Amino acid sequence: RKCDVVNRGFSGYNTRWAKVILPRLISKSAGAESTVAVTIFFGANDSALKDLNPKQHVPLEEYAANLKSMVQYLKSVDITEDRIILITPPPLQESAWEKECLAKGDKLNRRNSTTGEYAKACVQVARDCGTAVVDLWTLMQKKQDFSCYLSDGLHLSPEGNNFLTAQLWGCLEKQVSGLPFLLPYWRDVDTASPEGSLLGE
């Protein structure tokens, strides 16, 4: 009852493409001053191995530069760095993802160690730009068997999404807690005349 949550998920995209479309998704006229937070969650596709997945692969240095560029764009439309949260790619469970690749007639096209380099670069960009960061790659691997967080070795499972939500909430809670409620608590709605409660009539 405080915020609208706008999800812009683009299956298979990398930072090279996301950087191009970001101004279409968030523009100055879209009310930047009322934006509480923006999350940027890329790297799993960028870190695909160049030889085996050249379409999605983005070199490490370009990935970092693209993230910086997106942060700078957001700042240019008045979304300050304290409202930007970078999220690293999650770890890769190689044996599970290899099964998926083999089923499509492909070889394993990602490596967890490579994804880790992209995660480190993402953390460094956050430090350099003064944004918050959720280091999913490191946090998930604190659990010895992190495969429960991934549905197929690469994409988040429901448990993985819940884990990310819990980590993100740590960044968002203080930003959201001070906001006014735009609509009443359900128990406070006047059942005889809901319009009065809901529309402020």
Side-chain angles (χ1 to χ4, degrees), residues 113-189:
S113 58
T114 307
T115 305
E117 290 172 28
Y118 284 70
K120 278 189 197 120
C122 180
V123 170
Q124 189 58 52
V125 169
R127 281 196 195 115
D128 293 346
C129 295
T131 70
V133 64
V134 174
D135 185 357
L136 213 50
W137 190 84
T138 300
L139 290 166
M140 282 187 166
Q141 289 184 94
K142 287 185 176 174
K143 185 170 183 159
Q144 196 165 11
D145 179 13
F146 59 84
S147 61
C148 62
Y149 295 135
L150 304 164
S151 62
D152 55 8
L154 174 68
H155 300 96
L156 297 182
S157 64
E159 197 171 335
N161 280 309
N162 288 339
F163 182 88
L164 174 54
T165 301
Q167 302 302 321
L168 258 183
W169 186 241
C171 299
L172 290 172
E173 191 172 15
K174 60 182 180 289
Q175 285 161 300
V176 177
S177 60
L179 294 176
F181 284 100
L182 304 174
L183 290 163
Y185 182 53
W186 71 272
R187 288 188 193 278
D188 297 333
V189 175

